[in-house]
């Protein structure tokens, strides 16, 4: 091929008569992007509050801004859903970057509600005894000071508080809102980074076990950086394959339905290696985020080391966002590759369900136990993803909504059980808790039964929906593995309940702190959602069904 021929692929000669076309003004549908814009705006206001508001007023100012923003954003999601944007008016907004459709709105609503409940646990200030006359929360007095140093002691004495956690939470939520609704690979990657970076910081801010917390943050950051690099490399390969980062265009190239192919693209379109390796790398990055085996190694260490309110928020909201993005990628971009990705996902789902359930039995720390339990749940949700039917999508949406509230509630209960060193997370300390504090033990038992999938809890309704969709989608053997894993998992949940109610309390055992109304509200919402979705799930299943159609 001559040099001039190669050159003509990239440029066309402009004739004198032909005017140069203008660059179009970007057309942004602000109303349809309002939930994300409200949260981003509030996060920026939160940063300004840190800069300009006197220290003693910051906590209340930040809490007010965050609550108002999350409630307003949720109201915006509901308004969009009422306006038909989840069904008949579903569309691609922001110059093709964002999809406004049923799954996006359902997941955004779930993330915002989970973030609001998580925010209450962030703001809790009554669990630790007062220090130098100041109430303290779960976060370090001054994040920049070295653990145990004089500057840290001075910060504690002065009553400092890391109120930056509120804008960090809002930035993370903003990224999570965009992540499942991204409609091109660049928006997808930017959303991934926007919600990951604040979480890396939040994990390092524990007040009590600061070194363990910082170690957790470093592990999470390093492994997260690897996962992001794989994702970015996958995006580059898919762009090389399809000549576009837009989901719709890539899907057309994969299906072979793309119109007017230019010669440069024709050469790469036949190269399936680019497609397969690129898709595998992006899916790998998403499986890391949801904590699926074999990309789960960060989960137990980070869940154990991070401040418990952060663990609860992260365990719930990150899963919702990442599974939403995974669903959109597999159902919108790669349905033409179904025969390639389904067998791989089968394998991942099986080892995730069994791995999470079996390793959880050996755990002695309640936060690590819940971490392995979350890995097993990622496997159950993957069973719904594999169904590749409309029921598969709606069952995953329902499961994510049910799971997120149970998780935040369970971690909120963990913050209440304390001894002289802070939270008492070793299982032996929980012995006899049912005699000491029957109400707290009973609430925790409800959450554990929901995790185990016992009837009349949201966990049962969620598992039933996911397994039914998987069986109808031709993955019956997967359901058998899922039921066996659930039985194994039920063993260690029931073991904790037996430990709480049928063991003698130890004289030197922990106390149960009396929380403020904020944590009570978080736990109350968790229990209410768990029971309502368990006893009367039909309305919410119908809602998930209506929201189960992706726009392309």
């Amino acid at each position: 091929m001559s040099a001039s021929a190669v050159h003509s692929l990239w440029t066309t000669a402009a004739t004198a008569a032909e005017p140069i076309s203008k660059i179009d003004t970007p057309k942004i549908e602000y109303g349809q992007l309002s939930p994300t814009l409200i949260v981003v705006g509030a996060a920026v206001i939160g940063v300004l509050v840190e800069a300009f508001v006197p220290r003693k007023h910051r906590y209340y100012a930040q809490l007010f801004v965050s609550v108002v923003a999350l409630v307003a954003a949720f109201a915006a999601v509901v308004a969009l859903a009422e306006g038909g944007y989840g069904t008949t008016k579903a569309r691609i907004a922001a110059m093709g970057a964002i999809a406004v459709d049923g799954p996006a709105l359902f997941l955004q609503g779930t993330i915002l509600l989970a973030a609001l409940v998580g925010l209450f646990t962030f703001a809790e200030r009554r669990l630790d005894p007062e220090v130098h006359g100041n109430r303290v929360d779960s976060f370090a007095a001054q994040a920049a000071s070295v653990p145990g140093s004089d500057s840290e002691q001075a910060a504690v004495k002065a009553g400092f508080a890391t109120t930056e956690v509120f804008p960090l939470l809002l930035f993370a939520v903003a990224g999570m809102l965009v992540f499942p609704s991204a409609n091109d690979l660049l928006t997808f990657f930017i959303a991934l980074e926007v919600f990951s970076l604040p979480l890396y910081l939040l994990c390092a801010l524990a007040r009590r076990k600061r070194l363990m917390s910082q170690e957790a943050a470093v592990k999470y950051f390093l492994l997260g950086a690897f996962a992001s690099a794989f994702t970015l490399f996958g995006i580059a390969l898919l762009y090389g394959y399809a000549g576009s980062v837009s989901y719709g265009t890539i899907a057309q190239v994969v299906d072979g339905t793309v119109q007017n192919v230019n010669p440069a693209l024709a050469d790469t379109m036949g190269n399936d290696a680019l497609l397969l390796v690129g898709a595998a790398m992006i899916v790998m990055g998403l499986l890391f985020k949801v904590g699926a085996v074999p990309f789960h190694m960060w989960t137990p260490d980070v869940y154990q080391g991070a401040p418990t309110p952060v663990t609860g928020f992260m365990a719930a909201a990150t899963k919702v966002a990442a599974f939403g993005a995974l669903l959109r990628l597999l159902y919108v971009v790669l349905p033409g590759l179904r025969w390639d990705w389904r067998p791989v996902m089968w394998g991942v789902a099986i080892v995730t369900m069994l791995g999470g359930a079996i390793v959880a039995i050996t755990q002695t720390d309640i936060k690590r136990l819940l971490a392995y339990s979350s890995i097993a749940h990622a496997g159950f949700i993957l069973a719904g993803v594999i169904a590749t039917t409309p029921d598969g999508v709606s069952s995953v949406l329902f499961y994510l909504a049910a799971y997120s509230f149970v998780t935040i509630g369970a971690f909120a209960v963990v913050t209440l059980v304390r001894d002289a060193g802070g939270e008492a997370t070793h299982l032996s300390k929980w012995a006899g808790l049912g005699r000491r504090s029957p109400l707290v033990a009973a609430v925790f038992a409800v959450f554990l039964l929901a995790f185990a999938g016992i009837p009349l809890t949201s966990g049962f309704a969620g598992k039933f929906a996911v397994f039914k969709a998987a069986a109808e989608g031709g993955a019956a053997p997967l359901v058998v593995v899922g039921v066996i894993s659930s039985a194994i998992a039920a063993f260690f949940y029931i073991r904790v309940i037996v430990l709480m109610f049928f063991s003698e309390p130890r004289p030197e055992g922990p106390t149960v702190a009396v929380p403020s109304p904020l944590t009570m509200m978080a736990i109350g919402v968790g229990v209410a959602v768990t029971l309502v979705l368990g006893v009367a799930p039909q309305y919410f299943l119908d809602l998930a069904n209506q929201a189960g159609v992706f726009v392309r």
Side-chain angles (χ1 to χ4, degrees), residues 298-306 311 314-315 319 367 370-371 374 411:
W298 61 277
T299 312
D301 292 345
V302 174
Y303 279 30
Q304 186 183 11
T311 308
M314 189 168 74
K319 262 204 175 41
K367 281 169 84 175
L370 289 174
S374 86
F411 280 107

Side-chain angles (χ1 to χ4, degrees), residues 127-152:
L127 298 178
D128 272 315
E130 291 192 358
V131 181
H132 303 293
N134 296 304
R135 285 187 174 169
V136 295
D137 53 21
S138 304
F139 301 97
Q142 193 167 26
S145 54
V146 177
S149 65
D150 294 341
S151 68
E152 184 183 45

Side-chain angles (χ1 to χ4, degrees), residues 526-548:
V527 172
V529 172
T530 303
L531 295 176
V532 168
L533 292 189
V535 177
Q538 199 53 51
Y539 171 75
F540 299 94
L541 282 166
D542 291 344
L543 201 66
N545 251 332
Q546 286 167 12

Side-chain angles (χ1 to χ4, degrees), residues 141-208:
Q142 193 167 26
S145 54
V146 177
S149 65
D150 294 341
S151 68
E152 184 183 45
Q153 283 157 9
V156 171
K157 202 166 184 180
F160 287 3
T162 305
T163 44
E164 291 95 329
V165 295
F166 295 105
L168 283 173
L169 172 94
L170 290 176
F171 277 121
V173 171
M176 289 172 184
L177 293 180
V178 176
F179 199 49
S181 60
N183 193 56
D184 69 45
L185 291 171
L186 287 183
T187 312
F188 163 89
F189 183 72
I190 291 166
L192 172 69
E193 292 307 301
V194 168
F195 84 77
S196 298
L197 293 171
L199 290 178
Y200 300 150
L201 290 173
L202 287 169
C203 287
L205 298 179
R207 177 176 285 272
R208 291 300 184 103

Side-chain angles (χ1 to χ4, degrees), residues 107-133:
L107 293 163
Q108 287 178 340
T110 305
I111 290 164
L112 288 164
L113 286 180
L116 187 62
V117 178
L119 179 76
F120 296 150
T121 61
F122 273 60
E124 176 59 62
R125 297 188 113 173
R126 283 206 200 155
L127 298 178
D128 272 315
E130 291 192 358
V131 181
H132 303 293

Side-chain angles (χ1 to χ4, degrees), residues 72 79 102 109 251 327 397 405-406 444 463 525 532:
L327 276 175
L397 296 180
F405 291 100
V406 182
F444 198 59
K463 271 190 185 148
V525 168
V532 168

